[in-house]
Amino acid sequence: MAGILIVDDANIMREKLKLLLKRNGYNICGEACNVKEAVEVYKKTRPSLVTMDISMPDIDGIKGVQLLKQIDPNAKIVMVSAMDQKEMILLALKSGALNFIVKPFKEQTVLSIISDVLKSD
Amino acid sequence: MTDDKTEKNELFDIFLPIFLEEVSDQIKGMFDTLNLIKNNPNDEKNVDSLFRYFHTLKGNSALCTLENLSSFTHSLEDIVGLFRDKKISYSQSWYDLIYDGIYLIQEAIFKIKEDFYSDKKFNYNDFKNKINEFINSNTASSDTVETFHTKEEFVFEQQEIEDYFLKYLTYCAYHATITIVDAETTFADLKMAAIVNRLQSYNISVLGTIPEINILGSDKYSYDIYKNELIILFEHTENANKSFEKVIDMNKTSIKSHDLSVVNLNQFLSGKRSFIKHSNLMFQIVVVSINSKKYAVVCKKIIKIIPPDNIRYFQYSNYNLGFVRYLDIAVPVISINSNNLDKILLFDTVSGIIGLFFDKIDYFQESSYNDLVLSLESNDFIYNYNGEDIKVLFIDNLRQL
């Protein structure tokens, strides 16, 4: 059963998303704290959806989207960003991310967006 | 979903311990990186790294409901951001400010470890004032004159329409109107961009969008002007119809309502509108609400809407006039019955730029003098908006007030 891959350099943010998603019946198939790790986990687990932080050390989330899209053009990626990262969200959308969540987020918004994106083909 | 008790348990059992475990290393990282910057202010990698430290701490502390700490860290992130974006240059006073800021974070964390609720009482105000003073004295006004378009219309040349016909064997196109949910005022344009991108990813030819696609996500987009409505004009094929439904379905959370109709492209033929576009008598009518009352403002062009944080200098006179700094000139600002001093509409008039406090823009459109009627009772010009007679303000000369 494929699941969700959470990519975020902040441990606390990964925990927050993991708890929320697990509690609502989603399977977490992997976690990554940087893009390199995300690429490895993606290849191994082929998740149904990836949540991708934008601001990460070395390689940022936008490049992360581009790399995952190279591996799998159908990868479903939802960006997780801060309020003041509009330009970067736009770049991520242009690179192939399907939607975005803005921190601090409401749990219901996260769940609705993930449900919307998972339903898409 | 979580109830309050579970949320509180998660905060104290899971998130706060992670936060406190990591924060010492983060603070050490901040000090170390700041010193690396001191030795080589041109190394962008270190500046990015310092920015990210503050960015991460801002997010993590917000997640732990340490709102004061999060907001303070945000202001430090801003100063590092100004340096990263080359809006300020390196100086000893910049270094000192960041150093003292990190020191204050360290002190705040020390108190939070003893008493979680100390965040609410911790006083950052003096330091925040120092930050504001520093920004004001170290940055020039970097605004550039960017005028808003009149809310666009679709316009096509004859040749474009004929090319479309040859490709699709019809003059018809789909015309979709999508309203983004009200809660998305800050990110409505990005939600729109996500929708248009997705439609294009199915290889559907998008003939045009309102707002224009290059406005979405840029400084030119203003919720006050474009509201939360997106119009997309796209190819009239079965595949496009199906793809559109899919896009709507996968963005349901962001969409309040949508409507799809079929239009004939010939109605957007450029010649039909040229007499309007090139008329010298054109001006813009902007219908604004000020303290629940509507006014029609006549202007050459809307220039910008300034949020309160852009106000550098403001002072009332006896006549409710003030000045706002814009592009390093003092622009007169008028307040008419306004309680809400949050937003200023800057617009161009025949005698220069003028500002007006307003609550909401209801409508704006190119117009002509034919649309104005002189009321013989009040001697005012009246503009009819949605059946309502609205007083017209010609604020092109302060002596008129």
Side-chain angles (χ1 to χ4, degrees):
Chain A
M1 177 189 170
I4 296 176
L5 163 62
I6 300 172
V7 186
D8 201 310
D9 64 322
N11 183 10
I12 197 167
M13 206 53 80
R14 292 198 304 275
E15 282 301 319
K16 173 82 183 169
L17 279 171
K18 199 161 69 179
L19 264 179
L20 169 66
L21 295 171
K22 271 186 172 175
R23 200 168 41 230
N24 286 278
Y26 290 105
N27 171 40
I28 306 301
C29 67
E31 285 179 54
C33 62
N34 58 50
V35 170
K36 275 185 191 163
E37 209 178 301
V39 168
E40 292 310 310
V41 182
Y42 193 93
K43 283 179 182 165
K44 272 187 213 151
T45 60
R46 292 279 161 170
S48 329
L49 185 144
V50 180
T51 67
M52 175 83 74
D53 183 26
I54 285 194
S55 180
M56 286 185 286
D58 299 327
I59 305 174
D60 65 27
I62 296 160
K63 189 77 186 155
V65 173
Q66 291 162 354
L67 286 170
L68 292 188
K69 281 280 179 184
Q70 273 175 22
I71 298 167
D72 176 7
N74 297 318
K76 293 176 179 175
I77 307 167
V78 173
M79 303 312 288
V80 181
S81 85
M83 286 290 280
D84 47 6
Q85 291 182 309
K86 277 189 88 169
E87 269 176 45
M88 297 183 86
I89 300 173
L90 187 67
L91 282 175
L93 291 173
K94 284 182 178 168
S95 301
L98 295 181
N99 213 325
F100 60 92
I101 296 162
V102 179
K103 295 183 278 192
F105 44 69
K106 287 188 183 139
E107 294 192 351
Q108 189 52 56
T109 309
V110 176
L111 296 172
S112 305
I113 286 176
I114 282 181
S115 155
D116 280 357
V117 171
L118 277 173
K119 270 188 291 179
S120 67
D121 58 10
Chain B
M1 296 298 296
T2 44
D3 55 33
D4 286 352
K5 199 177 162 197
T6 319
E7 231 168 62
K8 210 169 175 184
N9 286 345
E10 282 180 357
L11 172 62
F12 287 108
D13 296 346
I14 301 170
F15 301 130
L16 196 61
I18 298 176
F19 175 80
L20 293 174
E21 191 188 318
E22 292 181 343
V23 74
S24 307
D25 284 346
Q26 286 165 348
I27 291 173
K28 185 178 178 307
M30 287 173 190
F31 277 127
D32 290 348
T33 314
L34 182 64
N35 275 328
L36 289 173
I37 294 172
K38 188 180 185 182
N39 295 333
N40 183 5
N42 297 323
D43 189 339
E44 291 175 2
K45 212 175 155 195
N46 291 329
V47 183
D48 279 344
S49 174
L50 184 62
F51 182 86
R52 220 174 24 256
Y53 271 121
F54 287 126
H55 183 79
T56 303
L57 182 61
K58 176 187 76 176
N60 290 358
S61 46
L63 198 147
C64 290
T65 69
L66 298 165
E67 274 128 24
N68 256 335
L69 176 63
S70 176
S71 148
F72 176 66
T73 314
H74 193 174
S75 50
L76 286 172
E77 182 193 12
D78 282 345
I79 311 181
V80 178
L82 287 171
F83 177 53
R84 182 194 58 180
D85 300 338
K86 310 206 180 324
K87 289 181 178 158
I88 51 175
S89 44
Y90 180 82
S91 64
Q92 184 62 40
S93 54
W94 180 85
Y95 172 89
D96 290 343
L97 193 70
I98 305 286
Y99 187 93
D100 291 349
I102 303 171
Y103 192 82
L104 199 63
I105 290 176
Q106 196 175 32
E107 202 179 314
I109 296 291
F110 185 72
K111 291 205 164 135
I112 288 166
K113 278 182 180 168
E114 284 181 345
D115 170 18
F116 173 76
Y117 297 99
S118 67
D119 180 61
K120 296 201 188 322
K121 295 171 271 176
F122 202 85
N123 183 9
Y124 296 101
N125 287 342
D126 291 347
F127 201 88
K128 275 190 170 176
N129 289 338
K130 256 169 86 174
I131 290 175
N132 287 337
E133 276 169 30
F134 179 86
I135 291 175
N136 283 336
S137 56
N138 284 278
T139 53
S141 172
S142 58
D143 289 333
T144 50
V145 179
E146 284 202 13
T147 50
F148 286 104
H149 302 287
T150 299
K151 199 168 176 178
E152 309 105 276
E153 301 167 327
F154 294 122
V155 178
F156 296 98
E157 299 300 327
Q158 184 77 53
Q159 191 57 50
E160 289 176 299
I161 295 178
E162 292 310 324
D163 288 348
Y164 177 88
F165 180 82
L166 285 176
K167 194 169 176 191
Y168 298 104
L169 298 176
T170 176
Y171 287 110
C172 291
Y174 280 120
H175 182 279
T177 307
I178 297 166
T179 308
I180 304 295
V181 290
D182 297 334
E184 290 288 356
T185 51
T186 315
F187 293 95
D189 56 331
L190 289 179
K191 292 291 178 188
M192 293 174 192
I195 290 168
V196 178
N197 275 347
R198 192 59 182 157
L199 191 60
Q200 286 174 321
S201 76
Y202 290 120
N203 290 324
I204 304 304
S205 167
V206 172
L207 310 175
T209 63
I210 298 175
E212 273 176 33
I213 189 75
N214 57 358
I215 285 179
L216 302 177
S218 79
D219 286 350
K220 287 186 185 170
Y221 175 84
S222 161
Y223 183 82
D224 285 300
I225 288 174
Y226 291 104
K227 302 288 188 279
N228 49 357
E229 191 177 273
L230 167 70
I231 300 173
I232 316 175
L233 200 63
F234 59 97
E235 64 176 63
H236 185 258
T237 58
E238 204 184 321
N239 186 28
N241 190 336
K242 280 184 188 160
S243 302
F244 177 73
E245 290 307 324
K246 278 190 226 168
V247 173
I248 294 297
D249 203 41
M250 68 167 293
N251 285 284
K252 264 196 324 217
T253 307
S254 320
I255 295 173
K256 186 176 173 187
S257 64
H258 72 281
D259 175 64
L260 187 66
S261 60
V262 178
V263 290
N264 188 319
L265 279 187
N266 284 304
Q267 75 186 72
F268 304 117
L269 188 59
S270 66
K272 285 190 176 176
R273 287 157 195 272
S274 58
F275 74 96
I276 294 178
K277 292 272 174 209
H278 302 300
S279 164
N280 289 329
L281 292 173
M282 290 309 303
F283 51 78
Q284 283 186 20
I285 281 281
V286 188
V287 177
V288 292
S289 291
I290 302 172
N291 208 10
S292 305
K293 197 170 172 196
K294 286 188 174 61
Y295 296 90
V297 181
V298 173
C299 64
K300 275 167 71 182
K301 219 164 199 143
I302 295 176
I303 291 178
K304 201 164 193 158
I305 289 157
I306 309 184
D309 55 353
N310 275 18
I311 299 174
R312 305 283 172 87
Y313 168 68
F314 181 78
Q315 199 172 54
Y316 273 110
S317 79
N318 293 335
Y319 300 99
N320 268 4
L321 298 176
F323 293 93
V324 62
R325 183 172 143 181
Y326 176 69
L327 291 176
D328 287 334
I329 52 169
V331 173
V333 182
I334 297 144
S335 161
I336 300 168
N337 291 334
S338 188
N339 295 329
N340 181 357
L341 302 179
D342 283 348
K343 286 185 284 191
I344 296 173
L345 173 69
L346 286 188
F347 56 96
D348 209 356
T349 71
V350 285
S351 54
I353 301 174
I354 281 184
L356 176 71
F357 278 113
F358 74 105
D359 298 325
K360 190 164 91 108
I361 292 182
D362 295 283
Y363 170 84
F364 77 107
Q365 189 55 272
E366 281 197 349
S367 205
S368 77
Y369 285 104
N370 293 336
D371 296 331
L372 308 182
V373 179
L374 181 64
S375 158
L376 295 175
E377 284 170 32
S378 61
N379 219 18
D380 285 328
F381 276 99
I382 300 295
Y383 179 74
N384 191 283
Y385 169 65
N386 279 352
E388 187 183 345
D389 283 343
I390 298 171
K391 183 180 170 182
V392 178
L393 298 177
F394 291 96
I395 316 173
D396 60 356
N397 189 325
L398 292 180
R399 278 174 300 182
Q400 289 179 7
L401 287 169

